[in-house]
Amino acid sequence: MSRHRPRGPRLPAWTATLTWKAAVFITVMCCALAALLGMLVHVSVTNQTVGQARERALDRLAEATERYEAGDRLGYGAGVDPKGLPGPLRELALSGERGTMVAAHESRPTMWAAGPADGGRAIAVQVDYAQGARTIDGLDRAILGSSVLAIGATLLVGAFAVTRVTRRLHQTAQVARRISAGDLDARVNDPRTKGPARRQDEVAAVAGALDTMASSLQGKLLSEQRFTADVAHELRTPLTGLHAAAELLEPGRPTELVRDRVAALRTLTEDLLEISRLDARSERVDLDAHRLAPLAERVVRGCGEGVELVVVRDVCVETDRRRLERVLGNLVANALKHGRAPVVVTVDGPVVTVRDHGDGYPGYLVEHGPQRFRTEGTSKGHGLGLTIALGQAAVLGARLTFANAPDGGAVATLRLPFTEAPGGDTAEEPESTT
């Protein structure tokens, strides 16, 4: 049995941003640099201050020693075994050596200097070290304050510079998402990419590469769309003549096969023309108020047997009746062809679902949506019905999604744009029509 380690608390999403990471990096580096420089200055000034005080104390000790040997008065701040002399310094002096030490005397910083005297005693002098201690304390406060100001100023300047970069990256990412969503006219248009002589940074290079890729992709897609439309238009005329000629053939099995193939070619040609118009975004909707249940009922009746209509709640929607019937007709036809009965069309307010009880949609279709001319297994067809339904739904401003029911079967859900009337819409009694 595998054992999972408990995860720690998750950080907020904003901590993953480049601005936050850069701010933390700048702050850490500034703090480290300020600490290093502050330590160097502190050590240097402290050594200098202590060194000067030590020299004065040793000079006074030499002078006091001469007076002591001459039998003169030692003077202020000097004495033999004076009170407050630090113990380690006294032991050093009794060992025959001279030394200095900073210690507190009467609550004041004092520099002591001591040396050996006769009779196992120590002669010592004291120098006021308060001014030196205040100098070092003031220096430490100045270092701390200047470090805080320097870190704050550096952080602000660094955050401003990083924010400018991240803003451009966000703009580039937003344009990339718009292109992925189908807006092939979206461009970054970074001004740094306009002038050939202007130096470009890495962000400008990415933005320029994205614009170039989008232009190339748009050109290829437009070329394919024009080719599809031209082929469909060129096939339309000979197919019309072929259909008329097939109608003149004598009845029989060969004639039925010819007419069936001609009809399939005509349907394919019309579908290609419709897709080319959808790709060109030249379709215009003719909106009008329609009750959804009667409209769905006409589609169900036109599809023949094996389709059941369930009305949970009927509403009046502003839509293009012809396009909506086209969407529902394609969904029902796909369910009848690739699924298994019963096929149930459910109207629940502005939401219409079409469900069959077959094997369900393929995984690629549920994840990425319908793809042209792609069918599963040995199923017949060109894979254009759901593509047209998705395109017409977008023209209507509706949302069409595909999923598989937990207990089996494919489920297509069409959500139409709908605004509830102030007085509420009248709900119909649930009914079922086969």
Side-chain angles (χ1 to χ4, degrees), residues 346-421:
T346 305
V347 177
D348 187 1
V351 180
V352 183
T353 58
V354 178
R355 177 185 176 179
D356 61 52
H357 292 77
D359 298 329
Y361 290 121
Y364 78 88
L365 194 148
V366 175
E367 185 174 358
H368 303 291
Q371 299 180 14
R372 303 173 187 180
F373 297 103
R374 178 170 180 177
T375 57
E376 291 296 311
T378 58
S379 60
K380 297 181 179 180
H382 305 285
L384 299 179
L386 294 183
T387 302
I388 293 174
L390 187 63
Q392 293 291 2
V395 174
L396 293 174
R399 183 186 178 194
L400 179 59
T401 57
F402 304 94
N404 290 324
D407 55 346
V411 181
T413 304
L414 179 67
R415 291 177 174 84
L416 294 165
F418 176 71
T419 302
E420 191 74 30

Side-chain angles (χ1 to χ4, degrees), residues 83-431:
K83 181 180 179 181
L85 179 64
L89 186 59
R90 177 183 176 83
E91 294 177 359
L92 180 66
L94 293 179
S95 66
E97 297 183 7
R98 301 170 64 186
T100 60
M101 183 177 179
V102 177
H105 179 61
E106 297 180 354
S107 301
R108 291 179 63 86
T110 302
M111 173 66 75
W112 290 90
D118 57 358
R121 296 180 298 176
I123 181 172
V125 297
Q126 54 180 319
V127 176
D128 187 15
Y129 190 66
Q131 181 63 35
R134 285 193 297 269
T135 300
I136 295 176
D137 291 341
L139 176 65
D140 291 342
R141 288 192 296 270
I143 291 175
L144 180 60
S146 59
S147 298
V148 171
L149 291 177
I151 292 173
T154 305
L155 185 59
L156 289 176
V157 174
F160 174 75
V162 173
T163 302
R164 292 189 61 187
V165 175
T166 55
R167 187 184 300 115
R168 293 167 58 196
L169 288 175
H170 282 308
Q171 181 184 0
T172 304
Q174 185 178 5
V175 171
R177 285 191 290 268
R178 288 172 55 190
I179 294 173
S180 299
D183 185 7
L184 298 181
D185 293 325
R187 298 292 185 274
V188 180
N189 290 326
D190 194 315
R192 294 168 181 79
T193 62
K194 300 303 180 182
R198 189 170 183 178
R199 295 182 179 272
Q200 296 184 8
D201 56 11
E202 289 78 2
V203 180
V206 172
L210 179 62
D211 287 348
T212 303
M213 180 195 70
S215 299
S216 176
L217 178 62
Q218 185 180 32
K220 292 180 179 179
L221 289 178
L222 291 177
S223 177
E224 291 179 1
Q225 291 172 9
R226 285 193 298 266
F227 175 77
T228 302
D230 292 343
V231 169
H233 278 290
E234 292 298 326
L235 288 176
R236 202 173 192 180
T237 300
L239 282 175
T240 302
L242 188 60
H243 176 73
E247 293 296 328
L248 299 177
L249 296 176
E250 295 182 359
R253 181 59 180 168
T255 301
E256 292 179 0
L257 292 176
V258 171
R259 290 176 180 175
D260 179 69
R261 293 300 86 197
V262 171
L265 283 174
R266 291 191 65 182
T267 301
L268 175 60
T269 303
E270 295 298 329
D271 287 346
L272 289 175
L273 286 172
E274 186 171 358
I275 286 179
S276 66
R277 290 193 298 268
L278 291 172
D279 288 339
R281 299 181 181 180
S282 59
E283 299 280 37
R284 296 293 180 266
V285 293
D286 183 14
L287 297 179
D288 200 358
H290 297 280
R291 303 295 298 188
L292 200 52
L295 191 147
E297 184 178 359
R298 284 195 298 270
V299 173
V300 169
R301 289 178 178 175
C303 292
E305 298 180 355
V307 184
E308 178 184 352
L309 174 64
V310 176
V311 179
V312 178
R313 182 171 66 96
D314 187 19
V315 293
C316 185
V317 295
E318 288 283 338
T319 188
D320 188 324
R321 181 184 60 81
R322 181 181 63 84
R323 297 184 189 279
L324 182 55
E325 289 180 351
R326 174 70 160 156
V327 173
L328 296 179
N330 281 17
L331 295 178
V332 174
N334 183 82
L336 290 172
K337 180 181 295 185
H338 302 289
R340 284 193 294 269
V343 175
V344 182
V345 179
T346 305
V347 177
D348 187 1
V351 180
V352 183
T353 58
V354 178
R355 177 185 176 179
D356 61 52
H357 292 77
D359 298 329
Y361 290 121
Y364 78 88
L365 194 148
V366 175
E367 185 174 358
H368 303 291
Q371 299 180 14
R372 303 173 187 180
F373 297 103
R374 178 170 180 177
T375 57
E376 291 296 311
T378 58
S379 60
K380 297 181 179 180
H382 305 285
L384 299 179
L386 294 183
T387 302
I388 293 174
L390 187 63
Q392 293 291 2
V395 174
L396 293 174
R399 183 186 178 194
L400 179 59
T401 57
F402 304 94
N404 290 324
D407 55 346
V411 181
T413 304
L414 179 67
R415 291 177 174 84
L416 294 165
F418 176 71
T419 302
E420 191 74 30
D425 208 322
T426 305
E428 300 287 341
E429 291 295 329
E431 59 177 349

